[in-house]
Amino acid sequence: MEHGLIPPVVMEFPGITAGGAFAGTEGESSSFKYGYFNETVNLVEMVLGNGDIISASNHENQDLFRGASGAVGSLGITSLLELQLVQARRYVKATYHSVRSVGEAIEKVREEILNTELDYVDGILFSQEHGVVVTGCMTNDLPATAQAQNFNNASDPWYYLHVKEKTLRSVEPIIEYIPLAEYLFRYDRGGFWVGASAFEYFKFPFNKLTRWWLDDFLHTRMLHRALDASRQSRSYVVQDLALPTPQQKNSSTTQPNPLVFGHCGYARYAKLASQHYIPILLRPKRMV
């Protein structure tokens, strides 16, 4: 961003590296436009198991280039990447579209991904009756009547809680201007469900004051480190799916676990370049 450029697909947690995104097949809210992160990589240099250092791209070692993407490092260690870049802007003009059913959310996503002026499309489902499809476009203009909405400071709201409160009783779309970096890493504070789960685990009050007080411990790097160290990660099953769009309504509304669309449940949508699948990340099911 220092030079006015960003990758087309930026991982939403600051701790996710470019090599990790390539190895793990990362998709974000810009993926409806650019595909997965690996589809924005021109060339990768890898260290193979026998110590050889080779380059792979669509023009050389194509089998390795395509196979290493999503192979979680099993074919080699990424040592260098050549990435595509797009021009950055100062803000993201985000529009929150309220939806009142899973089917409506899916149809809204399918509608919005056809809008060529958009840079970002994803969404959150808080329950089967309350969801939000979020669209965004980069801009350098902040209207005189608007104030930038921040999510990075300790006194700022957590993104998904803010969106939930804003849209709970709203019918008309709501527009906010978010600084670009804070939009890209909007889930860093709270780490989706992980932050709220920590409060639940320690039976500690969950409110604006306690979130402010413990802010240093509630960013994704610290949260995931604590989740693994406490072995609480063994108590959850994370349902990370990519389903054909015709099947999404039925699969989402018949989930047996109410936590999937419970108080802090969510499902994220991003349209892939394949035009047939939408990834869904559901709130994990707690195992007894």
Side-chain angles (χ1 to χ4, degrees), residues 76-143:
I77 298 174
T78 301
S79 55
L80 181 144
L81 288 168
E82 180 185 299
L83 291 176
Q84 301 168 23
L85 298 172
V86 297
Q87 188 170 5
R89 300 289 192 274
R90 293 180 62 193
Y91 302 100
V92 171
K93 178 183 177 183
T95 304
Y96 309 140
H97 306 269
S98 295
V99 291
R100 300 304 172 190
S101 70
V102 178
E104 185 183 352
I106 293 170
E107 290 306 313
K108 186 63 177 174
V109 169
R110 297 178 74 175
E111 173 190 335
E112 294 296 340
I113 60 175
L114 300 177
N115 185 345
T116 57
E117 295 183 357
L118 295 177
D119 297 302
Y120 306 104
V121 177
D122 70 351
I124 309 169
L125 284 177
F126 300 102
S127 71
Q128 292 189 28
E129 293 79 30
H130 179 203
V132 183
V133 172
V134 184
T135 59
C137 55
M138 289 190 287
T139 178
N140 284 324
D141 300 323
L142 179 66

Side-chain angles (χ1 to χ4, degrees), residues 134-162:
V134 184
T135 59
C137 55
M138 289 190 287
T139 178
N140 284 324
D141 300 323
L142 179 66
T145 56
Q147 184 175 359
Q149 175 61 57
N150 298 92
F151 298 106
N152 190 52
N153 301 311
S155 58
D156 295 332
W158 287 5
Y159 172 74
Y160 81 93
L161 294 177
H162 172 79

